[in-house]
Amino acid sequence: MTEPKAVPDLELEFPARPEFVRAARHAVSALARLSGASEEVVEDIKLAVSEACNTAVAANAEAGSEAVELRAFDSPARLVIEVMDRGANPERTVSGPPEELDTGDLPFERALSLPIIRGLVDELAIAPRGDRGAVVRMTVSLEGQGR
Amino acid sequence: MLDSPSVDLDLETTQREGFSIVSLRGEIDVYTAPLLRQTLVDAIEQGAVNVIVDMERVDFLDSTGLGVLVEGLKRVKTREGHFAIVATQDKILKIFDITGLNKAFPIHSSVDDALSEATAGS
């Protein structure tokens, strides 16, 4: 996996409250449409972003309501979306093709969100973020999407 | 906060042939799901044992919405009732497929289908 480019095409910071998740998914879906994604892929991205944001909102709210951060990087062949929280660190780093990730050891609140994200994106990586929090990086292929 | 006009979810409950039909329009997510939960809980507490949730005009459904539907299904089942979903849009059906919950809920293509299936099976 290559690193995303330095300047995001979309960067959001929003309060760790449920009502802001809608704004986040609509912003990312607007970028996906701009990038030429089909409506089906836009819907997949909306759901994956929402699930990642739900988890981040819950993690941050528990940790004291810091802002959730989101970045999206558009490149000719794919869209990379990162959702960053400041919750307790994931118990371990998971990375790889979605179908090969074993999420059994992750905290319970991710139990439903992660399988959903796995079913929607082409690549999923979850890594600790410094000394506290996690980065959920989702990659969606845009090949064959009119590019 | 839940009755704020900014909530992008409309709910309407009607009665038909012994079923409570909850028709939804808008987005069901982490913010609006509590409103759906309250509507289902109220209907069931007020005696509804047969519930059909019509999602034909739902634009978005996430895991929190699914969790509410699972809770509704459980509550109705303890009363030996029916709980069915009406959905035909791929974007809504997909989340049921990914989570395997398409096996937990009877999913129908229309309220009429849901009613005839449920009444035929009882």
Side-chain angles (χ1 to χ4, degrees):
Chain A
M1 186 167 64
T2 52
E3 286 303 306
K5 56 190 173 185
V7 180
D9 294 286
L10 181 69
E11 195 164 12
L12 296 174
E13 205 176 295
F14 60 91
R17 294 207 303 271
E19 58 266 43
F20 289 97
V21 173
R22 180 172 183 247
R25 75 168 165 271
H26 282 282
V28 178
S29 69
L31 177 66
R33 281 196 186 94
L34 199 63
S35 308
S38 67
E39 274 312 298
E40 189 189 345
V41 170
V42 169
E43 291 300 331
D44 288 353
I45 290 169
K46 265 165 79 173
L47 184 50
V49 166
S50 291
E51 296 297 339
C53 289
N54 288 352
T55 304
V57 164
N60 276 21
E62 217 177 77
S65 270
E66 283 183 71
V68 171
E69 291 158 73
L70 182 152
R71 296 189 299 186
F73 303 87
D74 175 28
S75 72
R78 62 194 188 143
L79 191 64
V80 177
I81 305 141
E82 294 178 341
V83 177
M84 293 158 281
D85 68 52
R86 285 289 182 196
N89 269 328
E91 284 162 28
R92 61 198 176 89
T93 301
V94 292
S95 181
E99 63 276 11
E100 288 173 17
L101 299 188
D102 176 9
T103 53
D105 293 342
L106 289 167
F108 176 77
E109 62 267 24
R110 298 196 171 180
L112 199 51
S113 284
L114 270 184
I116 292 172
I117 296 173
R118 279 192 297 183
L120 297 168
V121 303
D122 295 296
E123 201 173 285
L124 171 65
I126 301 168
R129 181 188 183 195
D131 59 345
R132 196 158 61 92
V135 181
V136 175
R137 181 187 290 175
M138 302 170 285
T139 304
V140 179
S141 170
L142 298 177
E143 269 167 32
Q145 299 281 319
R147 290 199 176 195
Chain B
M1 197 189 281
L2 285 180
D3 58 358
S4 146
S6 67
V7 174
D8 188 43
L9 178 64
D10 293 327
L11 307 95
E12 188 188 14
T13 306
T14 52
Q15 305 296 324
R16 205 176 134 190
E17 298 170 39
F19 279 75
S20 293
I21 299 163
V22 181
S23 303
L24 308 174
R25 190 174 63 200
E27 298 188 322
I28 306 168
D29 73 354
V30 66
Y31 183 51
T32 62
L35 190 59
L36 172 60
R37 182 182 181 277
Q38 198 55 52
T39 301
L40 290 177
V41 168
D42 287 350
I44 294 164
E45 296 294 312
Q46 286 162 21
V49 288
N50 299 311
V51 177
I52 295 171
V53 179
D54 182 358
M55 308 189 74
E56 271 306 87
R57 290 181 297 169
V58 169
D59 296 320
F60 181 82
L61 174 68
D62 76 354
S63 62
T64 40
L66 272 186
V68 168
L69 294 174
V70 169
E71 186 189 342
L73 175 73
K74 283 184 184 165
R75 282 174 184 258
V76 161
K77 277 200 166 170
T78 61
R79 292 164 164 82
E80 295 181 1
H82 288 281
F83 192 98
I85 305 285
V86 173
T88 58
Q89 301 179 80
D90 286 343
K91 63 185 175 188
I92 303 299
L93 294 172
K94 191 163 193 171
I95 188 169
F96 285 95
D97 291 343
I98 291 173
T99 55
L101 288 170
N102 53 351
K103 297 183 190 77
F105 293 99
I107 300 177
H108 300 281
S109 56
S110 69
V111 172
D112 285 343
D113 278 3
L115 279 171
S116 60
E117 188 107 345
T119 48
S122 58

